[in-house]
Amino acid sequence: MADGTPPPGSDPVGPAPAVRPFLVTAGRVADASSGRAMPVETQVVATVAGLEALGALSFESRDIVAACRLPQSLAEVAARLRLHLNVVRVLAEDLRDAGRLAVYVPDAASTHDASVLRRVIDGLRAVPDSRGVLSDTD
C-alpha cells in the first residue's frame, strides 16, 4: 500500500521484524562451539509464572512465552515468530533462568538414533498434504 503497510490478508503471519538479532539479545549469542547451545529440537513450554508475567515481559520474550502455551520446539517457535533461531535460543535460556519457560532438552543419543529418524520420516509421510493426499515417495 502507499503508506508502506502490506495489503490486508497478504501475509497471515505478519511482517518480519526489522530489528537486528544482536539488538534483541544485547549482543549475546548461543554458544554452539562449546556444545552448550540448546538443540533446535529442544521442547519449551511456558510455566504458570511465565503466563502470569506476560504483561511484564517485553517484546520478543512476551511473544515467546505466549507462543509456548503448548510445548513446541525451538525451531517451531523461531519459525512461528519469524525470529532468528539463535535469538530464540538466547531468549529461551533467559526465560528458563527466570522461571518463565520449562525447557526439555532431548537425550543426545536418541537424536542420533537412525530408528528415531525413520519414525519421524514415516510420521511425516503419514500426514496428508494440502490436497489430502498421503505422501508415498521414498
Side-chain angles (χ1 to χ4, degrees):
M1 300 191 125
D3 63 359
T5 60
S10 66
D11 190 355
V13 177
V19 177
R20 299 266 187 208
F22 64 85
L23 292 175
V24 176
T25 63
R28 296 173 297 134
V29 295
D31 188 10
S33 63
S34 70
R36 294 184 315 188
M38 289 189 271
V40 297
E41 66 272 13
T42 298
Q43 297 289 302
V44 291
V45 64
T47 62
V48 173
L51 293 173
E52 290 173 351
L54 271 178
L57 297 173
S58 61
F59 307 109
E60 290 81 5
S61 294
R62 179 187 59 236
D63 293 344
I64 290 171
V65 172
C68 292
R69 293 177 193 273
L70 295 174
Q72 55 193 306
S73 71
L74 290 177
E76 291 171 306
V77 174
R80 174 167 288 129
L81 298 179
R82 300 181 107 182
L83 292 171
H84 191 282
L85 178 60
N86 282 333
V87 168
V88 173
R89 280 180 169 143
V90 169
L91 295 178
E93 289 171 359
D94 292 348
L95 291 165
R96 175 193 58 200
D97 293 345
R100 309 291 191 229
L101 280 183
V103 175
Y104 302 96
V105 180
D107 177 30
S110 68
T111 61
H112 298 297
D113 183 356
S115 66
V116 172
L117 295 175
R118 174 51 62 191
R119 288 196 310 269
V120 169
I121 291 169
D122 292 343
L124 290 172
R125 285 190 176 135
V127 176
D129 68 10
S130 60
R131 298 168 294 170
V133 178
L134 292 177
S135 173
D136 59 355
T137 59
D138 207 354

